[in-house]
Amino acid sequence: MEEVTVSRDVAAEPGAIRAGFEDVAAFMRAAGFDEVDIEGDRMAVSRAIGLAELSLTLEAVETDAEFACEQVEGMFEEMRTTYRFEGGEDGTTVTAQTEFELGGVVGAVLDATLIKRKRTQELEDQLAYLDRVATDTA
């Protein structure tokens, strides 16, 4: 299983940061997805990458994290992302972690290093979005 972890310190209380998950479509678009469709706990996301299109269907899942989702349809054998908060004196550290396993034809074509680099940027962009939402509501 491959892993990508990104953290960001946000000068806000966890409650203000949680507001960023209220508009799940905007939160997912912050990762750079071109299309985001939300239906209940399911999120269909897609992005054009050159001549190809990456499409995933994710589902929000219950965990001890603030927010978590896992792939139910898409290019990965398995993929789960969690977002956790840790409060401190000067605010909150938000940590996003994606664990994934490439499989089948996709695993033979794609390089995990490329996926890690792209996913790191997506998570950084989502944490920046949460920071903006928390700062705007504070």
Short mmCIF file of all heavy atoms in Angstrom, two decimals, residues 58-94:
data_model
loop_
_atom_site.label_atom_id
_atom_site.label_comp_id
_atom_site.label_asym_id
_atom_site.label_seq_id
_atom_site.Cartn_x
_atom_site.Cartn_y
_atom_site.Cartn_z
N LEU A 58 -16.28 8.04 -5.00
CA LEU A 58 -15.86 7.93 -3.61
C LEU A 58 -17.10 7.89 -2.73
O LEU A 58 -18.16 8.39 -3.12
CB LEU A 58 -15.00 9.15 -3.23
CG LEU A 58 -13.81 9.44 -4.13
CD1 LEU A 58 -13.23 10.81 -3.82
CD2 LEU A 58 -12.77 8.36 -3.99
N GLU A 59 -16.93 7.33 -1.56
CA GLU A 59 -18.03 7.30 -0.60
C GLU A 59 -17.51 7.74 0.76
O GLU A 59 -16.46 7.27 1.21
CB GLU A 59 -18.61 5.89 -0.51
CG GLU A 59 -19.85 5.82 0.36
CD GLU A 59 -20.53 4.47 0.24
OE1 GLU A 59 -19.91 3.45 0.57
OE2 GLU A 59 -21.69 4.46 -0.22
N ALA A 60 -18.24 8.66 1.39
CA ALA A 60 -17.88 9.08 2.75
C ALA A 60 -18.09 7.88 3.67
O ALA A 60 -19.09 7.17 3.55
CB ALA A 60 -18.74 10.26 3.19
N VAL A 61 -17.13 7.67 4.56
CA VAL A 61 -17.21 6.54 5.49
C VAL A 61 -17.03 7.04 6.91
O VAL A 61 -16.38 8.06 7.15
CB VAL A 61 -16.17 5.44 5.16
CG1 VAL A 61 -16.49 4.78 3.83
CG2 VAL A 61 -14.76 5.99 5.16
N GLU A 62 -17.60 6.31 7.85
CA GLU A 62 -17.48 6.64 9.26
C GLU A 62 -16.17 6.09 9.81
O GLU A 62 -15.89 4.90 9.65
CB GLU A 62 -18.65 6.04 10.05
CG GLU A 62 -19.99 6.67 9.76
CD GLU A 62 -20.11 8.10 10.26
OE1 GLU A 62 -19.56 8.41 11.34
OE2 GLU A 62 -20.75 8.90 9.57
N THR A 63 -15.38 6.96 10.41
CA THR A 63 -14.14 6.57 11.08
C THR A 63 -13.98 7.51 12.27
O THR A 63 -14.83 8.36 12.52
CB THR A 63 -12.90 6.71 10.16
OG1 THR A 63 -12.66 8.10 9.91
CG2 THR A 63 -13.08 5.97 8.85
N ASP A 64 -12.84 7.41 12.94
CA ASP A 64 -12.55 8.35 14.02
C ASP A 64 -11.98 9.66 13.49
O ASP A 64 -11.70 10.57 14.26
CB ASP A 64 -11.62 7.71 15.06
CG ASP A 64 -10.26 7.34 14.48
OD1 ASP A 64 -10.12 7.28 13.24
OD2 ASP A 64 -9.33 7.10 15.27
N ALA A 65 -11.81 9.78 12.18
CA ALA A 65 -11.30 11.01 11.57
C ALA A 65 -12.44 12.03 11.44
O ALA A 65 -13.62 11.69 11.55
CB ALA A 65 -10.72 10.70 10.19
N GLU A 66 -12.07 13.28 11.19
CA GLU A 66 -13.07 14.34 10.96
C GLU A 66 -13.87 14.08 9.70
O GLU A 66 -15.06 14.35 9.63
CB GLU A 66 -12.39 15.70 10.87
CG GLU A 66 -11.69 16.14 12.13
CD GLU A 66 -12.64 16.32 13.30
OE1 GLU A 66 -13.79 16.73 13.08
OE2 GLU A 66 -12.22 16.06 14.43
N PHE A 67 -13.18 13.56 8.67
CA PHE A 67 -13.82 13.24 7.40
C PHE A 67 -12.99 12.15 6.75
O PHE A 67 -11.76 12.17 6.84
CB PHE A 67 -13.88 14.48 6.49
CG PHE A 67 -14.59 14.24 5.19
CD1 PHE A 67 -15.97 14.16 5.14
CD2 PHE A 67 -13.88 14.12 4.00
CE1 PHE A 67 -16.64 13.95 3.94
CE2 PHE A 67 -14.52 13.91 2.80
CZ PHE A 67 -15.91 13.83 2.76
N ALA A 68 -13.65 11.20 6.12
CA ALA A 68 -12.95 10.12 5.43
C ALA A 68 -13.78 9.66 4.24
O ALA A 68 -15.02 9.70 4.28
CB ALA A 68 -12.69 8.95 6.37
N CYS A 69 -13.11 9.25 3.20
CA CYS A 69 -13.79 8.70 2.04
C CYS A 69 -12.92 7.61 1.42
O CYS A 69 -11.69 7.62 1.57
CB CYS A 69 -14.14 9.77 1.02
SG CYS A 69 -12.75 10.71 0.38
N GLU A 70 -13.58 6.68 0.74
CA GLU A 70 -12.84 5.65 0.05
C GLU A 70 -13.45 5.42 -1.32
O GLU A 70 -14.63 5.69 -1.55
CB GLU A 70 -12.75 4.36 0.86
CG GLU A 70 -14.03 3.78 1.33
CD GLU A 70 -13.82 2.60 2.27
OE1 GLU A 70 -12.95 2.66 3.16
OE2 GLU A 70 -14.56 1.62 2.10
N GLN A 71 -12.60 4.95 -2.22
CA GLN A 71 -13.04 4.70 -3.58
C GLN A 71 -13.94 3.46 -3.62
O GLN A 71 -13.63 2.45 -3.01
CB GLN A 71 -11.83 4.46 -4.48
CG GLN A 71 -12.23 4.04 -5.89
CD GLN A 71 -11.07 3.47 -6.65
OE1 GLN A 71 -10.29 4.23 -7.19
NE2 GLN A 71 -10.96 2.16 -6.69
N VAL A 72 -15.06 3.59 -4.33
CA VAL A 72 -15.91 2.43 -4.56
C VAL A 72 -15.88 2.03 -6.04
O VAL A 72 -16.19 0.89 -6.37
CB VAL A 72 -17.37 2.66 -4.08
CG1 VAL A 72 -17.42 2.75 -2.56
CG2 VAL A 72 -17.99 3.89 -4.70
N GLU A 73 -15.49 2.95 -6.91
CA GLU A 73 -15.29 2.67 -8.33
C GLU A 73 -14.16 3.55 -8.82
O GLU A 73 -14.07 4.71 -8.47
CB GLU A 73 -16.54 3.01 -9.16
CG GLU A 73 -17.73 2.12 -8.90
CD GLU A 73 -18.94 2.54 -9.72
OE1 GLU A 73 -18.76 3.11 -10.82
OE2 GLU A 73 -20.05 2.32 -9.23
N GLY A 74 -13.27 2.99 -9.64
CA GLY A 74 -12.19 3.79 -10.19
C GLY A 74 -10.96 2.97 -10.50
O GLY A 74 -11.00 1.75 -10.57
N MET A 75 -9.86 3.67 -10.65
CA MET A 75 -8.63 3.07 -11.15
C MET A 75 -7.78 2.37 -10.09
O MET A 75 -6.85 1.67 -10.44
CB MET A 75 -7.78 4.14 -11.82
CG MET A 75 -7.33 5.24 -10.89
SD MET A 75 -6.45 6.51 -11.78
CE MET A 75 -4.91 6.50 -10.89
N PHE A 76 -8.09 2.55 -8.83
CA PHE A 76 -7.28 1.96 -7.77
C PHE A 76 -7.84 0.61 -7.35
O PHE A 76 -9.06 0.41 -7.36
CB PHE A 76 -7.20 2.88 -6.55
CG PHE A 76 -6.54 4.19 -6.83
CD1 PHE A 76 -7.31 5.32 -7.06
CD2 PHE A 76 -5.17 4.30 -6.87
CE1 PHE A 76 -6.72 6.54 -7.33
CE2 PHE A 76 -4.56 5.52 -7.13
CZ PHE A 76 -5.32 6.64 -7.37
N GLU A 77 -6.96 -0.26 -6.92
CA GLU A 77 -7.39 -1.50 -6.28
C GLU A 77 -8.09 -1.14 -4.96
O GLU A 77 -9.15 -1.65 -4.64
CB GLU A 77 -6.18 -2.40 -6.03
CG GLU A 77 -6.52 -3.77 -5.53
CD GLU A 77 -7.14 -4.65 -6.60
OE1 GLU A 77 -6.84 -4.50 -7.80
OE2 GLU A 77 -7.94 -5.50 -6.22
N GLU A 78 -7.45 -0.22 -4.22
CA GLU A 78 -8.00 0.34 -2.98
C GLU A 78 -7.52 1.77 -2.85
O GLU A 78 -6.41 2.10 -3.27
CB GLU A 78 -7.49 -0.41 -1.75
CG GLU A 78 -7.96 -1.82 -1.59
CD GLU A 78 -7.38 -2.46 -0.34
OE1 GLU A 78 -7.53 -1.86 0.75
OE2 GLU A 78 -6.78 -3.53 -0.46
N MET A 79 -8.33 2.63 -2.25
CA MET A 79 -7.93 4.01 -1.99
C MET A 79 -8.81 4.58 -0.89
O MET A 79 -10.03 4.48 -0.95
CB MET A 79 -8.04 4.87 -3.25
CG MET A 79 -7.33 6.21 -3.13
SD MET A 79 -8.32 7.55 -2.50
CE MET A 79 -9.29 7.98 -3.90
N ARG A 80 -8.17 5.14 0.14
CA ARG A 80 -8.89 5.77 1.25
C ARG A 80 -8.15 7.04 1.65
O ARG A 80 -6.93 7.05 1.73
CB ARG A 80 -8.96 4.83 2.44
CG ARG A 80 -9.57 5.53 3.68
CD ARG A 80 -9.60 4.61 4.86
NE ARG A 80 -10.89 3.94 4.83
CZ ARG A 80 -11.54 3.57 5.91
NH1 ARG A 80 -11.03 3.72 7.10
NH2 ARG A 80 -12.71 3.00 5.82
N THR A 81 -8.92 8.09 1.93
CA THR A 81 -8.34 9.35 2.39
C THR A 81 -9.03 9.74 3.70
O THR A 81 -10.25 9.68 3.79
CB THR A 81 -8.51 10.47 1.36
OG1 THR A 81 -7.89 10.07 0.13
CG2 THR A 81 -7.88 11.77 1.83
N THR A 82 -8.21 10.15 4.68
CA THR A 82 -8.73 10.63 5.96
C THR A 82 -8.19 12.02 6.23
O THR A 82 -7.09 12.37 5.80
CB THR A 82 -8.33 9.70 7.12
OG1 THR A 82 -6.90 9.60 7.17
CG2 THR A 82 -8.94 8.32 6.97
N TYR A 83 -8.98 12.80 6.96
CA TYR A 83 -8.61 14.15 7.37
C TYR A 83 -8.77 14.20 8.88
O TYR A 83 -9.87 13.97 9.39
CB TYR A 83 -9.52 15.19 6.70
CG TYR A 83 -9.46 15.12 5.19
CD1 TYR A 83 -10.25 14.21 4.49
CD2 TYR A 83 -8.59 15.94 4.47
CE1 TYR A 83 -10.18 14.12 3.11
CE2 TYR A 83 -8.53 15.86 3.08
CZ TYR A 83 -9.32 14.94 2.40
OH TYR A 83 -9.24 14.86 1.04
N ARG A 84 -7.69 14.50 9.57
CA ARG A 84 -7.69 14.52 11.04
C ARG A 84 -7.25 15.88 11.55
O ARG A 84 -6.45 16.55 10.92
CB ARG A 84 -6.75 13.45 11.59
CG ARG A 84 -7.15 12.05 11.20
CD ARG A 84 -6.19 11.00 11.78
NE ARG A 84 -6.50 9.69 11.26
CZ ARG A 84 -7.48 8.91 11.69
NH1 ARG A 84 -8.24 9.31 12.67
NH2 ARG A 84 -7.69 7.72 11.15
N PHE A 85 -7.79 16.26 12.72
CA PHE A 85 -7.45 17.53 13.37
C PHE A 85 -6.76 17.24 14.69
O PHE A 85 -7.15 16.33 15.41
CB PHE A 85 -8.70 18.35 13.69
CG PHE A 85 -9.54 18.75 12.49
CD1 PHE A 85 -10.78 19.30 12.70
CD2 PHE A 85 -9.09 18.59 11.20
CE1 PHE A 85 -11.58 19.70 11.63
CE2 PHE A 85 -9.88 18.98 10.12
CZ PHE A 85 -11.12 19.53 10.34
N GLU A 86 -5.77 18.06 14.99
CA GLU A 86 -5.12 18.01 16.30
C GLU A 86 -5.01 19.44 16.81
O GLU A 86 -4.28 20.25 16.24
CB GLU A 86 -3.75 17.36 16.21
CG GLU A 86 -3.10 17.18 17.57
CD GLU A 86 -1.78 16.44 17.47
OE1 GLU A 86 -1.64 15.55 16.63
OE2 GLU A 86 -0.88 16.78 18.26
N GLY A 87 -5.77 19.74 17.87
CA GLY A 87 -5.78 21.09 18.44
C GLY A 87 -4.49 21.40 19.19
O GLY A 87 -3.87 20.51 19.77
N GLY A 88 -4.12 22.66 19.15
CA GLY A 88 -2.93 23.13 19.86
C GLY A 88 -3.18 24.51 20.41
O GLY A 88 -4.29 25.05 20.29
N GLU A 89 -2.16 25.10 21.00
CA GLU A 89 -2.29 26.44 21.59
C GLU A 89 -2.55 27.52 20.56
O GLU A 89 -3.27 28.48 20.81
CB GLU A 89 -1.03 26.77 22.39
CG GLU A 89 -0.88 25.93 23.63
CD GLU A 89 0.38 26.31 24.41
OE1 GLU A 89 0.86 27.45 24.27
OE2 GLU A 89 0.86 25.45 25.16
N ASP A 90 -1.94 27.38 19.38
CA ASP A 90 -2.03 28.42 18.36
C ASP A 90 -3.00 28.09 17.23
O ASP A 90 -3.02 28.77 16.21
CB ASP A 90 -0.65 28.70 17.76
CG ASP A 90 0.32 29.24 18.80
OD1 ASP A 90 -0.14 29.95 19.72
OD2 ASP A 90 1.52 28.94 18.69
N GLY A 91 -3.78 27.04 17.39
CA GLY A 91 -4.70 26.66 16.34
C GLY A 91 -4.81 25.15 16.22
O GLY A 91 -4.74 24.44 17.22
N THR A 92 -4.94 24.69 14.99
CA THR A 92 -5.19 23.28 14.74
C THR A 92 -4.28 22.79 13.61
O THR A 92 -4.14 23.48 12.60
CB THR A 92 -6.66 23.07 14.33
OG1 THR A 92 -7.50 23.64 15.34
CG2 THR A 92 -7.00 21.61 14.13
N THR A 93 -3.71 21.62 13.79
CA THR A 93 -2.97 20.98 12.72
C THR A 93 -3.94 20.04 12.01
O THR A 93 -4.56 19.19 12.64
CB THR A 93 -1.77 20.19 13.24
OG1 THR A 93 -0.88 21.09 13.91
CG2 THR A 93 -1.02 19.51 12.10
N VAL A 94 -4.08 20.23 10.71
CA VAL A 94 -4.94 19.39 9.89
C VAL A 94 -4.02 18.46 9.09
O VAL A 94 -3.09 18.92 8.43
CB VAL A 94 -5.81 20.21 8.92
CG1 VAL A 94 -6.73 19.32 8.12
CG2 VAL A 94 -6.60 21.27 9.68
#
